[in-house]
Amino acid sequence: MKYANLTGWGFYVPERIVPNKELEKYMDTSDEWIQERSGIKERRFFEPGKDTVSTMAFEASKKAIEKAGIAAEEIDMIVMATLSSEYFFPGPGVLLERLLGLKDIPAFDIRQQCSGFIYGLSLAEQYIKTGTYKTILLVGSEIQSGILEMSTRGRDLAVLFGDGAGAVILQAGDSPGILSTHIHSDGEHAEALFMRHPGSVNPDFITTEMINDGELLPYMNGKLVFKTAVQKFPEVIIEGLEHNGLKTEDIDLFIPHQANARITEFVRQKLGLAKEKTVSNIHKYGNTTAATIPIALAESMDAGLLKKGDLLCLAAFGSGFTWGSAFIRI
Ligand code: UT7
């Protein structure tokens, strides 16, 4: 059996930095409220005409390909995680394939929101383990600022989310690699964090009333999401530790999905993980959904926070609800 090894990584964030102070101009909020409730100081917003979900994915992918020391032509499959595809269909996997100058390889689009990267990792792992493919490009890329409303009506979500992309190259090897991935979902609260329109429940698809009534905005029951996240994160991490016969102390670096610094801190304390082993970059980028983990992973690798043989733990929770963890030997 082959293992999936992490051989390349890269990230791209748009140039435009939007500090909390700027949001104060558009809505009734404050730098103090945002920092205290979420830990976010600033985020990046895409540049219309320059950045798209697939061009940002392309920038991150180029870095990952270069780091892996491979040619793009060696990629056997693309897995693209996003909730913010540039078109309603097709998804951006094929657009990324086109930008990379590739043809005929499979390109998946994963719609598991904040857990998208871990779901993608799990999918890629299976193809490598079974020997079907040798080299897989996995990307998370999001442009979310376009679906947020920069007004007091939209503030619940507008202050939390940002844009960015992260990519990894996974390659078949004889030693670990990905040790295991653990993915879950529960549709009971599908509408606790969702965007109803445009969707097929409405016979007219999109109407001017929807736009005027603010129905084309995402909705989140923040308290329920928070409460469930702090329960599911530790659960799915412990599941992975037990599966591999490992203990919390064996984790060298923990990269959680960055939804809220308070969630990360709660999970860290619950697991008894050291602060210096827990990655937090939410202050710089906000919540970039499927791009969050690969951005933090690429930053951590570039900063030398992980060395050969280290144990990396990834975990995410988000809309669906979906959640998951992954254990990777670097
Ligand atoms: O990645 C996907 C998963 N997402 C998450 O995991 C997010 C989970 N939830 C959270 O992170 C938190 O629930 C939030 C950061 C969204 C909100 O924090 P909270 O401590 O749960 O605040 P709250 O929703 O209870 O709001 C407290 C107050 C309310 O006012 P009242 O009712 O106490 O008068 C809100 O209206 O803060 C008000 N508020 C705001 N004030 C200033 C809500 N949004 C804002 C805002 N600026 N942007």
Side-chain angles (χ1 to χ4, degrees), residues 29 33 37 114 155 159 222-223 225 257 259-260 262-263 287:
T29 191
W33 189 97
R37 303 283 173 146
C114 299
R155 72 178 181 179
V159 302
K223 283 199 187 311
V225 176
H257 171 61
N260 189 317
R262 288 188 291 143
I263 295 179
N287 182 349

Side-chain angles (χ1 to χ4, degrees), residues 3-222:
Y3 286 100
N5 290 309
L6 175 71
T7 59
W9 53 88
F11 75 102
Y12 169 88
V13 286
E15 272 168 43
R16 184 178 162 206
I17 298 172
V18 181
N20 293 343
K21 279 271 167 216
E22 185 179 331
L23 298 182
E24 289 178 3
K25 292 189 216 157
Y26 317 133
M27 61 193 80
D28 179 14
T29 191
S30 68
D31 177 33
E32 197 191 358
W33 189 97
I34 301 168
Q35 285 206 49
E36 198 182 289
R37 303 283 173 146
S38 71
I40 300 166
K41 292 184 179 172
E42 59 189 37
R43 74 284 293 138
R44 304 294 179 109
F45 280 179
F46 83 116
E47 193 184 316
K50 179 185 175 212
D51 300 312
T52 70
V53 170
S54 64
T55 63
M56 298 200 319
F58 179 51
E59 292 306 319
S61 300
K62 280 193 290 189
K63 290 180 193 157
I65 290 166
E66 194 191 328
K67 191 66 83 178
I70 59 164
E73 291 67 32
E74 288 177 59
I75 295 168
D76 299 313
M77 179 168 101
I78 293 171
V79 183
M80 173 86 202
T82 187
L83 65 71
S84 48
S85 176
E86 51 239 74
Y87 302 141
F88 191 76
F89 70 86
V94 293
L95 305 181
L96 174 60
E97 181 193 29
R98 184 168 71 188
L99 286 169
L100 288 164
L102 302 176
K103 266 187 195 301
D104 298 336
I105 62 167
F108 278 96
D109 293 295
I110 303 241
R111 284 189 56 168
Q112 255 64 33
Q113 299 67 250
C114 299
S115 310
F117 187 80
I118 298 211
Y119 265 70
L121 210 53
S122 185
L123 179 77
E125 185 202 5
Q126 310 313 315
Y127 277 95
I128 289 182
K129 260 202 316 212
T130 54
T132 310
Y133 295 125
K134 286 198 177 76
T135 303
I136 296 176
L137 169 64
L138 167 62
V139 192
S141 180
E142 303 281 8
I143 290 185
Q144 309 185 102
S145 54
I147 56 165
L148 301 172
E149 189 173 80
M150 294 300 140
S151 70
T152 299
R153 183 174 73 173
R155 72 178 181 179
D156 288 11
L157 284 105
V159 302
L160 300 175
F161 291 88
D163 306 333
V168 296
I169 294 285
L170 298 162
Q171 290 188 277
D174 293 321
S175 53
I178 297 179
L179 299 176
S180 64
T181 53
H182 308 269
I183 49 176
H184 299 277
S185 70
D186 177 359
E188 189 190 343
H189 298 296
E191 289 81 14
L193 175 47
F194 86 131
M195 191 162 151
R196 185 184 296 278
H197 303 297
S200 56
V201 282
N202 175 53
D204 298 323
F205 200 62
I206 295 180
T207 61
T208 39
E209 287 75 33
M210 279 180 204
I211 299 170
N212 296 337
D213 297 346
E215 288 180 20
L216 277 178
L217 295 176
Y219 162 82
M220 176 168 73
N221 177 342

